[in-house]
Amino acid sequence: MLVVDDDPTVAEVVTGYLDRAGYEVDRAADGPAALVRAAAHRPDLVVLDLMLPGMDGLEVCRRLRESGPVPVVMLTARGDEDDRILGLEVGADDYVTKPFSPRELVLRVESVLRRARPAVPRGPLGAAGLTVDPAARRAAKNGTGLALTLREFDLLAFFLRHPGRAFGREELMREVWGWDFGDLSTVTVHVRRLRGKIEDDPARPRLIRTVWGVGYRFDPAGDDPKAGEDPKAGEDPKAGDEPKAEDAPKAGGNGKAGEDARPGAGANAGENGTESD
């Protein structure tokens, strides 16, 4: 495990707790040093500070992704929603804001590692031109490989296993992320990113639909929105709120998700079909 933080006190505390939890931990104080250490010995997970001198954590995360999948927990003193979303957009699996409980950080690390190493891969899945092979960690649309992060892959596989059923964001966070708590905008961001990769028109998605009052539903038939559904089904509710029936937009307007629309990383696309989120 690699801890990257320019604050020696924070790095020492995090390293100490992870060490007591049974992990072998290496440390780096800046981005270039982190990349050198990761290249020399690929970590199972990186705890990465966002505000690093010289090369910030977002750039470090992007460069780590270029050399292969690795789970990342972003660690920062900046708690703005835009920063959290941007961290998720570049592929971070979780986001912890300082000050934080070291014990909670260890629990989040363990949760991310569990999701990164599924115990029993299931058989291949497919619908609406999409194919997912959990054992090989490959995904494709109409035969063309998809560059999915680890969490996008798991989210797509979950939807394919449960076609036609609507799930709330809390339920998706519990079933896909394995978390009983967390920022629900994490789910919103990943749904938006996944739509951008599997939908013909992400602005008007036909596969992953917003179900007002519930959350999201995978519709393999890809039909036009039915009566009573949000007429702009591609637009998400505000990132901080679960969609409620009374929030359904009136004619002529719709509240967009509190997400960042900036594209996420997508390296290694046709080789293994997935990279770590």
Side-chain angles (χ1 to χ4, degrees):
M1 195 158 307
L2 178 61
V3 174
V4 187
D5 199 306
D6 62 316
D7 186 329
T9 301
V10 172
E12 183 175 352
V13 169
V14 172
T15 298
Y17 271 82
L18 291 173
D19 182 69
R20 286 192 289 274
Y23 298 105
E24 181 180 345
V25 186
D26 195 6
R27 287 168 54 177
D30 56 43
L35 295 175
V36 169
R37 291 181 181 276
H41 188 272
R42 193 70 177 174
D44 293 319
L45 181 141
V46 178
V47 178
L48 178 62
D49 186 25
L50 176 61
M51 299 298 292
L52 293 171
M55 181 188 301
D56 66 19
L58 297 175
E59 181 62 24
V60 174
C61 187
R62 290 189 186 98
R63 296 195 185 189
L64 285 171
R65 290 282 181 266
E66 292 174 358
S67 57
V70 58
V72 174
V73 175
M74 200 73 81
L75 187 65
T76 180
R78 294 166 59 179
D80 292 343
E81 182 178 274
D82 287 347
D83 293 325
R84 293 198 306 271
I85 290 176
L86 186 56
L88 296 170
E89 287 282 350
V90 300
D93 295 271
D94 200 357
Y95 197 108
V96 180
T97 303
K98 301 175 186 177
F100 59 90
S101 162
R103 293 178 63 186
E104 178 185 343
L105 176 61
V106 171
L107 290 174
R108 288 180 177 268
V109 164
E110 291 174 343
S111 174
V112 169
L113 287 173
R114 281 196 303 271
R115 298 304 304 176
R117 301 167 180 166
V120 182
R122 303 187 186 184
L125 303 163
L130 299 168
T131 57
V132 167
D133 186 342
R137 300 297 292 184
R138 289 193 178 95
K141 177 182 177 181
N142 298 325
T144 301
L146 294 171
L148 302 180
T149 64
L150 183 146
R151 206 67 65 193
E152 290 167 356
F153 184 96
D154 290 343
L155 184 59
L156 177 57
F158 184 81
F159 278 133
L160 286 171
R161 291 189 185 107
H162 303 90
R165 178 179 169 187
F167 293 92
R169 287 186 297 169
E170 290 96 341
E171 191 171 8
L172 289 171
M173 178 166 283
R174 183 172 59 252
E175 296 295 332
V176 178
W177 276 257
W179 304 344
D180 289 323
F181 58 90
D183 186 349
L184 293 179
S185 66
T186 299
V187 177
T188 312
V189 169
H190 283 80
V191 168
R192 174 65 60 86
R193 292 181 63 188
L194 184 57
R195 282 170 166 167
K197 296 178 180 181
I198 69 171
E199 298 281 359
D200 293 331
D201 180 4
R204 294 190 63 83
R206 293 175 177 267
L207 298 176
I208 301 177
R209 311 291 287 275
T210 297
V211 182
W212 288 91
V214 183
Y216 303 103
R217 183 187 69 239
F218 180 72
D219 182 3
D223 296 330
D224 288 328
K226 297 177 182 178
E229 289 188 351
D230 174 22
K232 293 185 179 179
E235 298 188 4
D236 295 314
K238 293 182 180 179
D241 300 312
E242 185 68 23
K244 294 183 173 58
E246 61 267 28
D247 294 332
K250 298 187 174 94
N254 184 15
K256 283 212 172 193
E259 298 181 18
D260 193 325
R262 285 167 281 193
N268 301 329
E271 297 178 359
N272 57 10
T274 172
E275 52 178 304
S276 179
D277 177 26

